[in-house]
Amino acid sequence: MSKVIAVISGKGGVGKTTTTANIGLGIAMQMKQCVVVDFDIGQRNLDMILGLENRVVYDMVQVMDGEAALDQALIRSKANRNLHFLPASQTKDKSVLESAKIKQLLDELKKKFEYVILDAPAGIESGFEHTIEFADSAIVVVNPEVSSIRDSDRAIGILDSKSQLVKDGKEVEKKLIINRFDPDMVEKGEMLDSDDILEILGIELLGIVPEDKGVIDASNQGQPIIMNEKSQAGKAYKRISKRICGNKTPIVKPKASKGGIMGRLKGIFS
Amino acid sequence: MKCRQYNVKIFEIGLDDPNSFRDFIDANLVLIKNHLLSLKGTLDETTKEFLDERGLKYVCNMELPLPGRGVNEFCLTKSDESSDSKAEESSSVITDEEPEEFKMDPLKIVKGPLRSGQYIQHNGDVLSTDRINSGAKIAAMGSVVALGKVDGDISSAGDCIIITPTKKGNILFHGTRIDGEKLIFPLNLIRFEGDDIVIKPISKKEFN
């Protein structure tokens, strides 16, 4: 049965689009048919992170308006044949979205794909509300900082009041990804620990992605970090993708380094 | 010298029509009984006696140092019942009934976490069993019992607030801000003793 998952955060710049690209590819690597949909109308970015920007011809707004067929707008990923991408319109704004058209589009996508991943825009305005409206579940992406957590908390509150599932008396499943986690900073007391974040937000943890400088370069190259076998962030996204697909992969919490060159040498000989 | 700073809620009301004024006061007594009234117009003897009988505190024709913000207007006519004021949605501010006694709404229980942006305004007592996160708010005309961690705002005009320790929360009891540093007990009881606000420990056993 097909599942629609909205990737939300409330705050911008926490790695929502990067997460969408990586888990989309990760799910495809699990041999599941997956589509990632960019709902950030007017601020399209997912195409670049997937390295597909030069292949965009039609967008989701044109599909919803009947100007293009869904198959014309869908782009197959170069990295994995199981992954498809539906781009947002770059020339229109969020006001073009209509509930009925979105539902129709998602119903069509659900017929074709096992996983439909929606990349929500930042903020809690109409674009966000349309993204969560017909989602079966949500992945909340936070950075370990208070402003990100408060904005996510706000986004969860809106999800719990405005999604169609809630209006139908059901519950929207919500899972948390803590992104850009730096265990060294946590150890120094400079960053919130994952337990603190979980206590505040009160939702289930899906995974912790460590801070990894390679993520920016990977995004710039259009090759999601999950393709890098050595990257810790890439490994974290792989584990997260497996969990989304129902595999019982244990959650790995990044550990602090042992401090400096001497500490690392001690670590090697201990 | 002892100096205290208070946040006082003031209701500014016109005295153009004394009968309507008295009706309004009686209808909204529960809302305004613990606040200062700033009256504009001529205060006749009958109205003065009316206010004194109800123990209301008021000033007449005083120029208040209002910065021009945070002012809510309450209307007297029935046609204005559809006002979009949130206070009027949750507590029947305007009524045709003669209020013989204060009518508080039943206890409101908030079971899940109160998240940022969520706002509970209740004309009665509120019991919160979970967290009150930063950016969330409870404003109650009655008492508030908060058993989870409080990082948000609580305002109570009731008999007491029972609350866990908090340094981030903004706690107002009858308009007076409670210093989080003084909430040192696992469960703190905030209430009046005479004119003073006191904070005492309360054991969970006692609470049960």
Side-chain angles (χ1 to χ4, degrees), chain A residues 150 153-154 156-157 160 199-203, chain B residues 114-118 131 133-135 149 151:
Chain A
R150 182 193 268 192
D153 193 40
R154 180 92 173 95
I156 295 168
D160 280 342
E199 192 196 331
I200 294 169
L201 294 178
I203 60 174
Chain B
L114 199 62
R115 298 190 182 278
S116 179
Q118 292 180 328
R131 297 180 57 91
N133 280 350
S134 174
K149 194 165 187 227
D151 288 341

Side-chain angles (χ1 to χ4, degrees), chain A residues 30 239 241-251:
Chain A
Q30 298 297 305
R239 290 191 293 269
S241 305
K242 285 180 183 173
R243 279 179 216 119
I244 293 170
C245 293
N247 295 350
K248 288 184 180 171
T249 310
I251 287 175

Side-chain angles (χ1 to χ4, degrees), chain B residues 160-161 173 178 183 185 188-201:
Chain B
C160 68
I161 295 177
F173 184 57
I178 306 299
L183 301 171
F185 309 111
N188 301 272
L189 170 66
I190 304 166
R191 69 175 180 194
F192 275 115
E193 278 187 7
D195 286 341
D196 293 326
I197 293 172
V198 295
I199 300 168
K200 287 186 168 176

